[in-house]
Amino acid sequence: MVDQTEVCTNRTYIIDIIKITVNPKLIGAAEIKAFFVKTGLSAGQFAERYGVSKSFILSAIHRSGVKIGTNVGRSTDPKNYRNNSPPYGYSIRDGKLVPNKSEMKICRIVVELRGRRKHSTTQVCKELEKRGFKNRKSNTVWNPNTILNIFKRWNEKI
C-alpha cells in the first residue's frame, strides 16, 4: 500500500497495488493450443512462462488435439534452438544458432572440393586430414557421412 497525496490539496489517497497473474487453469485448451503453435516454445518453456508444471501444459496441449511429436522443426528453429548438437558450421549461444567461424572455414573447403572440384567424400576426408583440420571431437580423422551432411547443408549457400 502506498500513501499518495494529491498536489495542492490536503487529501491523501491510499493506492493498493496487487499483481494479478493469469491462471493457466482458466485458459482454455484451444487458447493454449493457439499460443503453443504460434510461439514455437517448448512445453518446458511454456510451463516456465506460466509458472505451472510441464506435465500440466503437456496434458492441456494433448487435450487440445496437438500431437507434440508431429511439430517438425520446432526444436530446430534458429531463434529458439533446443537440440544438444548444432549443425556443423553453427554454435549455440543463448538458445540461438550463430555461425561458427572456424567451422565455416571447413564448410567452405568441403563445398569447394566436393561441389566445384567434384571430389568424392572420401577424397575430401583425406584432403582435410592432410591439411590438419580437426573435427568437433578434436580428431583429424573425418567421416564421409559428416562430409556429405556438411555438403548438403552448405551447397549453394556459401
Side-chain angles (χ1 to χ4, degrees):
M1 294 175 103
V2 178
D3 284 341
Q4 185 173 356
T5 58
E6 193 173 307
V7 179
C8 299
T9 66
N10 292 333
R11 296 182 190 165
T12 301
Y13 295 98
I14 297 177
I15 300 173
D16 194 7
I17 300 172
I18 300 172
K19 184 179 178 185
I20 299 173
T21 57
V22 177
N23 185 349
K25 294 177 183 177
L26 299 177
I27 299 174
E31 293 173 78
I32 289 177
K33 173 185 176 181
F35 186 76
F36 180 75
V37 171
K38 183 179 90 175
T39 61
L41 297 175
S42 69
Q45 291 170 326
F46 194 88
E48 187 177 308
R49 177 174 282 184
Y50 280 101
V52 295
S53 69
K54 182 179 172 181
S55 60
F56 172 79
I57 295 297
L58 288 172
S59 65
I61 292 168
H62 180 70
R63 280 193 313 271
S64 70
V66 174
K67 293 184 180 175
I68 305 273
T70 61
N71 296 322
V72 177
R74 287 179 65 87
S75 63
T76 58
D77 178 15
K79 295 176 185 166
N80 187 18
Y81 196 80
R82 297 185 306 266
N83 288 345
N84 292 333
S85 179
Y88 205 87
Y90 289 106
S91 296
I92 302 172
R93 247 185 240 125
D94 299 325
K96 295 181 171 93
L97 284 180
V98 293
N100 182 321
K101 290 182 183 181
S102 61
E103 290 183 0
M104 287 299 290
K105 182 178 181 180
I106 294 170
C107 293
R108 285 187 189 93
I109 292 170
V110 168
V111 169
E112 173 67 28
L113 295 175
R114 177 89 173 113
R116 296 183 185 107
R117 296 189 188 172
K118 307 295 182 200
H119 286 32
S120 69
T121 54
T122 307
Q123 290 172 324
V124 175
C125 289
K126 289 178 182 176
E127 183 64 29
L128 290 174
E129 291 166 10
K130 187 174 97 179
R131 294 184 187 188
F133 287 109
K134 295 183 179 182
N135 59 22
R136 283 190 175 161
K137 296 179 181 176
S138 297
N139 193 347
T140 57
V141 178
W142 286 84
N143 185 325
N145 289 331
T146 305
I147 300 301
L148 190 59
N149 289 336
I150 292 171
F151 179 72
K152 284 179 182 178
R153 174 170 294 281
W154 294 105
N155 187 29
E156 299 192 18
K157 292 182 183 174
I158 54 174

